[in-house]
Amino acid sequence: MRVAVLAAEAVPYSKTGGLGDVAGALPKALRQIGVDAFLITPLYRQTDESLIAHLAIDDLWIEWRGTNYKAQVFYSEANGSPTFLIHAPEMFFRDSIYGYREDYERFAFFNHAAIVLMRHIGNAPDIVHLNDWHCGFAAVEIAKLRRWDSFWQNTRTVFSVHNIAYQGAFGMEELWKLGFGDDFSRHAFSFNGAASAMKAGLADSDMLSTVSKRYGYEIQQTENGYGLDWLLRQRSDRLHGIVNGVDYDVWNPATDAELPAHFDAADLSGKFECKRALLQKFFLPENLDKPIFASVTRLTSQKGFELIQQTVGEILATGAYFIALGSGDKNHEDFLQKLRDYAPQQVGVYKGYNESLAHQIEAGADMFLMPSRFEPCGLNQMYSLRYGTIPIVRAVGGLDDTVENFDRVTGTGNGFKFHDFRADAFLEKIYEALFVYYDKDAWRKLQHNGMTVDNSWENAARKYVQLYQMAKA
Ligand code: ADP
Ligand code: GLC
């Protein structure tokens, strides 16, 4: 089976969040189980040039808004699968990957360029796997091409929702310029008086998926569907929830090159060294018996950071440390700064994005806080599990699917989760975790349970293959 994965970001070429982790790892995992998978993604200014193996196509001519646009295509296998990086500097060489008024146009271009490219690089894929709103355009274009172009006749599309809160909305009048002025396309994009790339992907793809079972259910409800719940209910027979995997080549405390010491489920002594190094890094006193609570996150309303703001005072009152790595909303960033000034002996803060530090925090911390308002899958709780860092999460989306409450009597479970979006509900779990932390045997058991969970990509990749087969049937 030949599968093209399209994504706006993919590790190690680009990353702003979990989508990058997933899009980088999935094609590799598919190849490891015998699928002929490859990745297509934009080449950004932020992409590390040393990852590029060679120039694959010097002049990919793309008909775009009435003119002929010449793009280049670079090739790499740095993520473990063949990857084609579309080089169109006008579109993708910017100060940041997203955040421009014309993002819809940039990714419409990316989709169209990917479709032109696929004709140049061998047989038509059996499956084009599209991710999030940035790839909704290709669902419509392929559905149209299939009607008259024999090349695409046997290709099917799978569309994965990583976050329905971002929809790629723009004015309907723009559709003409983007080559989607016909009735079929307008119908696919049309949503509440505007055009939505997310809606187009959901409407016109052959199969749909999302990144956890629970989120698959949630987005069919009015409260969480961001206006598209009706469409997901209508197409629920096509919608499957597949929990993301973890790339254990990248996120493995036994081999992680970012760490000062290594450890695994059988021998945790290295974790102690990681904790010491983490405290040193933030100039905190080395009270190694005190727990470190940590957070690594985009500071957006999705992540429920208010609940951390409301409870961190209580956490510090117990003598524990709190270490945060994040960037985003200014008021949350300011809060972190003030907190650090208020308790410099207990609080470590890094404002910004820092991949290496994210690994060091996962390894050195004792507990990881994720009180998300909603969370399609969430990767950090799964990284935490492998690193012996206990997740305390809100029971939503993928957090609910992957974290099981610890039961001290039976010794089962791998973390702590609460339901209501309220500080007291969160705090109750924080205290429960602290109670277990000071019972060394119970804590060791809890860590062991989490560290031995298998969230590898292989399981997830096999489920995607089943989905692809359903799309082809
Ligand atoms: P989301 O994609 O919604 O941000 P996920 O949990 O799926 O949430 O993935 C977040 C990814 O981004 C993880 O790999 C995490 O380590 C990383 N990350 C988030 N914020 C930062 C940051 N400030 N610095 C480094 N890595 C970060
Ligand atoms: C989105 C979601 C996150 C998920 C990631 C990868 O960014 O917010 O929950 O883990 O996509 O699927």
Side-chain angles (χ1 to χ4, degrees):
M1 192 184 316
R2 185 164 160 82
V3 177
V5 178
L6 267 61
E9 59 179 87
V11 165
Y13 313 107
S14 57
K15 167 169 169 178
T16 69
L19 174 62
D21 288 336
V22 171
L26 175 62
K28 172 172 73 173
L30 288 168
R31 288 192 83 80
Q32 281 166 354
I33 57 170
V35 177
D36 175 17
F38 60 97
L39 172 68
I40 306 180
T41 192
L43 180 75
Y44 295 101
R45 176 178 286 153
Q46 290 75 6
T47 307
D48 176 356
E49 269 178 40
S50 71
L51 298 171
I52 293 171
H54 59 81
L55 178 67
I57 303 177
D58 192 25
D59 51 354
L60 186 74
W61 287 101
I62 298 155
E63 228 183 286
W64 181 244
R65 302 186 61 159
T67 59
N68 268 332
Y69 189 99
K70 191 176 116 175
Q72 288 179 311
V73 180
F74 288 90
Y75 184 82
S76 173
E77 292 187 0
N79 66 317
S81 83
T83 296
F84 297 89
L85 296 134
I86 294 181
H87 182 43
E90 255 171 77
M91 303 284 175
F92 306 122
F93 270 44
R94 310 230 173 157
D95 291 343
S96 62
I97 292 178
Y98 312 116
Y100 300 93
R101 198 198 53 82
E102 66 283 14
D103 276 356
Y104 68 93
E105 201 182 333
R106 299 168 66 220
F107 291 106
F109 173 87
F110 163 62
N111 283 216
H112 184 54
I115 286 171
V116 174
L117 171 68
M118 283 187 266
R119 265 192 169 277
H120 279 70
I121 51 172
N123 297 333
D126 296 291
I127 299 290
V128 178
H129 186 160
L130 306 166
N131 292 282
D132 263 357
W133 76 261
H134 323 97
C135 300
F137 306 91
V140 182
E141 189 169 340
I142 291 172
K144 286 199 293 183
L145 283 170
R146 223 155 52 188
R147 294 174 176 176
W148 59 269
D149 185 340
S150 60
F151 181 83
W152 292 105
Q153 221 156 43
N154 296 317
T155 298
R156 297 292 174 266
T157 48
V158 170
F159 184 80
S160 294
V161 179
H162 296 262
N163 196 336
I164 206 160
Y166 301 99
Q167 300 195 346
F170 52 96
M172 281 296 278
E173 67 285 357
E174 298 292 306
L175 285 175
W176 292 101
K177 299 183 210 155
L178 302 178
F180 293 112
D182 57 287
D183 284 351
F184 176 83
S185 305
R186 290 168 61 80
H187 185 255
F189 280 96
S190 166
F191 176 53
N192 282 348
S196 156
M198 174 63 83
K199 163 150 185 252
L202 293 176
D204 277 8
S205 299
D206 296 298
M207 252 331 164
L208 307 176
S209 79
T210 185
V211 288
S212 67
K213 281 211 176 339
R214 178 79 201 166
Y215 191 62
Y217 165 82
E218 287 168 355
I219 54 180
Q220 293 181 54
Q221 317 303 311
T222 329
E223 313 84 74
N224 302 306
Y226 285 78
L228 289 168
D229 43 291
W230 59 274
L231 179 55
L232 289 155
R233 285 196 301 274
Q234 222 172 62
R235 303 204 69 199
S236 63
D237 59 326
R238 304 256 146 187
L239 174 65
H240 296 257
I242 302 177
V243 175
N244 290 327
V246 172
D247 187 343
Y248 291 127
D249 292 339
V250 181
W251 293 94
N252 178 359
T255 54
D256 192 331
E258 308 290 351
L259 305 186
H262 293 118
F263 55 95
D264 58 26
D267 178 4
L268 274 153
S269 50
K271 186 168 172 71
F272 211 60
E273 289 314 309
C274 291
K275 181 170 180 176
R276 188 195 304 279
L278 185 63
L279 291 171
Q280 283 169 356
K281 187 156 205 135
F282 282 98
F283 305 105
L284 293 166
E286 290 174 40
N287 291 327
L288 288 161
D289 51 334
K290 293 285 180 196
I292 302 179
F293 288 79
S295 164
V296 175
T297 188
R298 291 184 295 117
L299 294 166
T300 64
S301 75
Q302 170 185 348
K303 302 296 176 180
F305 197 75
E306 304 89 301
L307 290 191
I308 292 185
Q309 294 193 188
Q310 289 163 27
T311 50
V312 71
E314 315 284 338
I315 290 174
L316 296 179
T318 69
Y321 295 105
F322 174 69
I323 290 180
L325 162 62
S327 67
D329 291 354
K330 185 160 183 318
N331 59 338
H332 293 327
E333 287 190 356
D334 290 349
F335 174 86
L336 285 173
Q337 191 57 56
K338 277 194 206 124
L339 188 71
R340 153 91 199 157
D341 294 345
Y342 163 76
Q345 301 285 307
Q346 283 175 279
V347 176
V349 169
Y350 184 105
K351 282 190 287 181
Y353 189 89
N354 187 325
E355 189 76 30
S356 156
L357 190 55
H359 286 249
Q360 290 158 14
I361 292 177
E362 284 292 3
D366 296 291
M367 294 161 214
F368 196 92
L369 304 175
M370 260 178 115
S372 302
R373 213 177 273 281
F374 66 92
E375 195 62 73
C377 179
L379 296 171
N380 275 121
Q381 82 282 11
M382 293 196 272
Y383 300 155
S384 298
L385 289 173
R386 182 50 62 110
Y387 282 68
T389 300
I390 306 308
I392 306 179
V393 307
R394 178 145 180 265
V396 286
L399 298 174
D400 196 31
D401 284 12
T402 56
V403 176
E404 195 194 328
N405 261 317
F406 183 62
D407 182 324
R408 259 174 294 149
V409 178
T410 59
T412 55
N414 55 25
F416 299 93
K417 61 180 174 184
F418 64 101
H419 290 267
D420 295 341
F421 192 82
R422 286 206 326 261
D424 59 339
F426 186 27
L427 204 54
E428 199 175 302
K429 289 295 164 187
I430 288 170
Y431 285 138
E432 194 178 328
L434 272 170
F435 190 77
V436 180
Y437 176 81
Y438 285 109
D439 175 348
K440 288 299 164 209
D441 290 342
W443 192 254
R444 189 68 192 77
K445 172 78 183 135
L446 172 55
Q447 285 179 308
H448 190 266
N449 291 351
M451 294 178 84
T452 49
V453 168
D454 180 10
N455 284 318
S456 64
W457 262 111
E458 190 184 329
N459 290 333
R462 287 191 194 287
K463 291 186 185 148
Y464 277 112
V465 170
Q466 285 172 2
L467 192 68
Y468 300 156
Q469 281 160 348
M470 283 186 245
K472 285 294 274 183

